[in-house]
C-alpha cells in the first residue's frame, strides 16, 4: 500500500478457503465488481503458484480452456494489463508486477505474501516429517486453517475444481490421522469439534455419524439424538429425499444406545408423550414413519384392520412432479397444512421428497381414501386461495406387500401403487 506502515503491517495476507479476501497489513482490500473477473482469476492462480510460478501454457489452459480460433497470448497480455492497473488502483506498490520469463509466469511483490492455502500445505508437509506431539500440533494447525472449499464463488472453474479436490483430500486425511490419538487421550470434545467443522463444510458426506459417535462416547445422549434428527431433516429439506436406507440402517439401534437406564416408568411416559395434543394427523420424520409403517404391517397381520398407504404428489399442468420448480416450497406448505387439518389424529404422514408426502391411513377402505383425497383438495384450494387442484394421489393397501422381501422399497411407483385416485 502507498500509506506508510511498519514492516510488520506490510504483509499481504490472502485467504482462499471458504471465499476470497485480502489484507495489506491491517487494511482490507475490496475488489468490488471485479471479484469474479478473469483477471482476478489470473491473480489468484499466480498467488497459488508464487513459489515457482506457473507455465504459460498451463496458465492459458486454466484461464481459457481448450478454446480454438482465439489469440490467447493477446488475451493474456490484456488480462495482465488490466490486473496491473487494478492493483495500482487498490494501492499496491508500483514495484509489484506480473513477470513472464522462460515460458513461466510469476507475481512479484516487494512485500511478503501469506496465503492460507500455501500455509496449509506447508504445515502438512512439516507434519509428514514429524512424530508425536509435534505431528499432532501440525495437523491441528492445518485443520484450523481450512475454513471451507477453495474459492467457492468460482468453484465450477476446472482449475479450481482440480485444486479443491486435492485440498479436500488433505483436510480429510488430517482429521483421520488425528482420530486415533485424540480418542486414545479421551480428547473427545476436541475431536467432536473437528468432525463438526468437516460436517459444516461438507454436510452430505456423513461426518454427522462421527459427531454422533463422539457425543455418545461423552454420554450426551439427547444431543446425539437431536443431531441425528436434524441430519435426516437436512437431507429431506436440502436434497428433497431422505438419506439412503444404508445410512438409516446404521442408526437402527440408536434409541437403545442413546438413553440410559431408568426404572421410573412415569418419567419415561412423560418423555414419550407429545408436547401438545394437536388436532389432525400426526406428522413425523421419515425414519419414524418407516418404523410406524413396519409396526402397522405387523398389527394388520394380527388384527385384520384395513390400512392404506397414500402418496400425495404435487404436479404441474402436464401432470409431471414439480421437483425443484418455483414456489414448490409454498405449495408443499399448503399441502402439509391441508393433510394435517383434514386427516384424522390416528393417521400419520411424512415428507418423502421435495414435492411428495406419504400418509398411513388406519381403518380405511378404498372409498375412504377417495373421500380423504377430496378433503385434502378442498383444504388445499382454500389455503392457496382458489389455486387449481394440482395434487395427484396413489394408494395401496398394506395387505398388498411386495413378494419375497415383504417390504416396500419406495423407489418406483410401478412397484407400489395399485390404485390412482381420480
Amino acid at each position: 500500500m502507498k500509506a506508510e506502515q511498519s514492516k510488520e503491517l506490510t504483509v499481504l495476507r490472502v485467504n482462499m478457503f471458504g471465499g476470497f479476501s485480502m489484507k495489506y497489513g491491517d487494511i482490507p482490500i475490496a475488489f468490488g465488481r471485479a471479484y469474479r473477473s478473469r483477471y482476478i482469476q489470473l491473480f489468484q492462480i499466480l498467488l497459488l503458484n508464487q513459489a515457482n510460478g506457473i507455465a504459460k501454457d498451463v496458465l492459458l489452459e486454466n484461464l481459457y480452456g481448450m478454446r480454438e480460433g482465439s489469440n490467447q497470448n493477446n488475451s493474456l497480455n490484456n488480462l495482465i494489463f488490466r490486473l496491473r492497473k487494478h492493483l495500482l488502483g487498490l494501492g499496491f506498490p508500483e514495484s509489484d508486477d506480473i513477470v513472464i520469463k522462460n515460458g513461466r509466469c510469476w507475481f512479484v511483490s516487494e512485500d511478503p505474501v501469506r496465503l492460507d492455502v500455501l500455509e496449509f500445505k506447508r504445515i502438512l508437509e512439516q507434519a509428514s516429517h514429524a512424530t508425536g506431539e509435534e505431528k499432532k500440533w501440525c495437523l491441528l494447525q492445518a485443520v484450523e486453517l481450512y475454513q471451507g472449499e477453495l474459492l467457492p464463488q468460482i468453484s465450477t472453474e476446472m482449475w479450481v475444481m482440480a485444486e479443491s479436490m486435492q485440498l479436500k483430500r488433505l483436510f480429510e486425511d488430517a482429521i483421520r490421522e488425528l482420530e486415533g490419538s485424540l480418542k486414545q487421550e479421551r480428547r473427545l470434545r476436541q475431536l467432536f469439534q473437528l468432525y463438526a467443522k468437516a460436517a459444516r463444510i461438507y454436510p452430505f458426506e456423513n461426518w454427522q455419524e462421527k459427531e454422533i459417535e463422539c457425543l455418545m462416547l461423552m454420554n450426551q445422549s439427547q444431543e446425539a439424538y437431536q443431531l441425528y434428527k436434524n441430519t435426516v431433516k437436512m437431507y429431506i429439506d436440502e436434497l428433497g429425499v431422505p438419506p439412503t436406507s444404508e445410512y438409516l440402517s446404521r442408526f437402527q439401534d440408536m434409541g437403545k444406545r442413546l438413553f440410559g437406564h431408568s426404572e421410573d416408568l412415569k418419567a419415561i411416559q412423560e418423555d414419550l408423550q407429545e408436547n401438545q395434543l394437536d388436532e389432525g394427523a400426526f406428522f413425523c420424520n421419515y425414519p419414524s414413519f418407516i418404523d410406524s409403517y413396519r409396526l402397522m404391517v405387523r398389527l394388520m397381520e394380527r388384527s385384520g384392520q384395513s390400512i392404506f398407504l397414500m402418496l400425495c404428489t404435487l404436479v404441474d399442468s402436464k401432470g409431471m412432479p414439480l421437483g425443484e420448480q418455483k414456489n414448490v416450497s409454498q405449495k408443499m406448505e399448503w399441502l402439509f397444512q391441508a393433510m394435517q387439518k383434514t386427516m384424522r389424529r390416528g393417521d400419520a404422514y411424512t415428507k418423502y421428497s421435495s414435492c411428495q408426502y406419504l400418509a398411513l391411513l388406519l381403518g380405511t377402505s378404498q372409498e375412504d381414501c377417495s373421500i380423504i383425497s377430496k378433503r385434502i383438495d378442498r383444504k388445499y384450494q382454500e389455503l392457496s386461495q382458489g389455486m387449481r387442484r394440482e395434487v395427484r394421489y396413489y394408494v395401496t393397501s398394506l395387505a398388498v406387500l411386495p413378494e419375497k422381501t415383504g417390504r416396500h422399497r419406495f423407489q418406483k411407483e410401478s412397484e407400489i401403487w395399485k390404485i390412482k385416485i381420480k
Side-chain angles (χ1 to χ4, degrees), residues 68-83:
E68 298 180 358
S70 60
N71 191 329
Q72 294 185 350
N73 283 317
N74 285 344
S75 298
L76 178 60
N77 291 335
N78 181 53
L79 285 184
I80 292 174
F81 172 79
R82 295 177 65 190
L83 177 57

Side-chain angles (χ1 to χ4, degrees), residues 123-389:
I123 294 175
L124 287 179
E125 177 64 21
Q126 182 180 339
S128 68
H129 300 291
T131 58
E133 287 299 314
E134 181 186 355
K135 183 181 185 72
K136 187 190 307 176
W137 183 87
C138 289
L139 292 171
L140 287 170
Q141 289 295 109
V143 172
E144 176 65 24
L145 276 171
Y146 195 94
Q147 294 299 314
E149 289 190 311
L150 177 71
L151 299 171
Q153 291 84 356
I154 55 170
S155 60
T156 55
E157 295 288 338
M158 292 302 297
W159 68 270
V160 177
M161 292 173 64
E163 183 72 16
S164 184
M165 289 177 63
Q166 180 194 25
L167 293 170
K168 176 187 175 186
R169 178 181 59 79
L170 292 173
F171 169 68
E172 293 173 341
D173 288 347
I175 292 180
R176 294 190 177 99
E177 280 197 73
L178 287 165
E179 282 179 321
S181 60
L182 292 180
K183 280 185 179 180
Q184 186 176 3
E185 297 168 10
R186 300 297 295 177
R187 293 164 66 178
L188 298 175
R189 174 55 57 184
Q190 189 174 21
L191 183 58
F192 172 78
Q193 291 171 348
L194 297 184
Y195 291 149
K197 181 174 188 174
R200 184 176 66 253
I201 299 171
Y202 301 108
F204 301 106
E205 299 194 11
N206 299 345
W207 285 103
Q208 294 88 349
E209 292 182 46
K210 293 184 176 292
E211 286 185 89
I212 290 170
E213 179 186 358
C214 263
L215 289 171
M216 293 170 67
L217 289 173
M218 292 187 289
N219 295 318
Q220 296 184 16
S221 304
Q222 295 291 345
E223 291 84 351
Y225 186 60
Q226 187 60 50
L227 176 57
Y228 163 65
K229 292 196 298 182
N230 291 343
T231 301
V232 173
K233 183 177 185 299
M234 176 191 68
Y235 267 84
I236 294 174
D237 290 347
E238 298 296 328
L239 299 182
V241 295
T244 64
S245 57
E246 178 184 356
Y247 184 90
L248 291 173
S249 68
R250 288 196 285 267
F251 295 100
Q252 283 183 344
D253 64 339
M254 182 165 290
K256 298 177 183 178
R257 298 169 60 194
L258 285 178
F259 300 101
H261 293 86
S262 175
E263 295 182 0
D264 188 346
L265 188 58
K266 184 176 180 180
I268 294 173
Q269 188 176 21
E270 289 177 356
D271 287 337
L272 295 173
Q273 187 70 29
E274 288 185 70
N275 293 330
Q276 56 184 16
L277 298 178
D278 294 329
E279 295 296 326
F282 176 70
F283 179 80
C284 56
N285 59 39
Y286 186 70
S288 298
F289 188 87
I290 292 175
D291 292 337
S292 299
Y293 171 87
R294 292 172 181 173
L295 177 61
M296 290 301 102
V297 169
R298 295 185 178 213
L299 291 175
M300 182 190 62
E301 292 172 352
R302 180 176 178 180
S303 67
Q305 186 179 28
S306 174
I307 304 173
F308 278 79
L309 183 67
M310 181 169 69
L311 177 67
C312 308
T313 305
L314 284 169
V315 296
D316 59 21
S317 58
K318 298 180 180 179
M320 300 300 294
L322 288 183
E324 300 297 330
Q325 295 181 27
K326 187 178 180 180
N327 297 329
V328 67
S329 297
Q330 178 60 67
K331 293 175 181 179
M332 282 292 282
E333 177 61 26
W334 290 332
L335 183 54
F336 172 90
Q337 294 184 34
M339 294 177 72
Q340 199 275 331
K341 295 178 183 298
T342 58
M343 294 193 304
R344 300 160 302 174
R345 281 177 50 82
D347 297 330
Y349 69 115
T350 189
K351 186 176 181 181
Y352 181 62
S353 76
S354 61
C355 63
Q356 292 177 308
Y357 285 102
L358 275 172
L360 275 173
L361 309 175
L362 281 64
T364 56
S365 64
Q366 181 178 333
E367 292 74 17
D368 293 331
C369 293
S370 180
I371 294 172
I372 292 170
S373 69
K374 291 176 181 177
R375 288 176 180 168
I376 295 173
D377 276 340
R378 285 196 296 270
K379 179 56 71 172
Y380 181 90
Q381 289 183 323
E382 176 186 325
L383 294 168
S384 63
Q385 298 182 347
M387 187 173 289
R388 67 176 182 80
R389 184 172 71 87

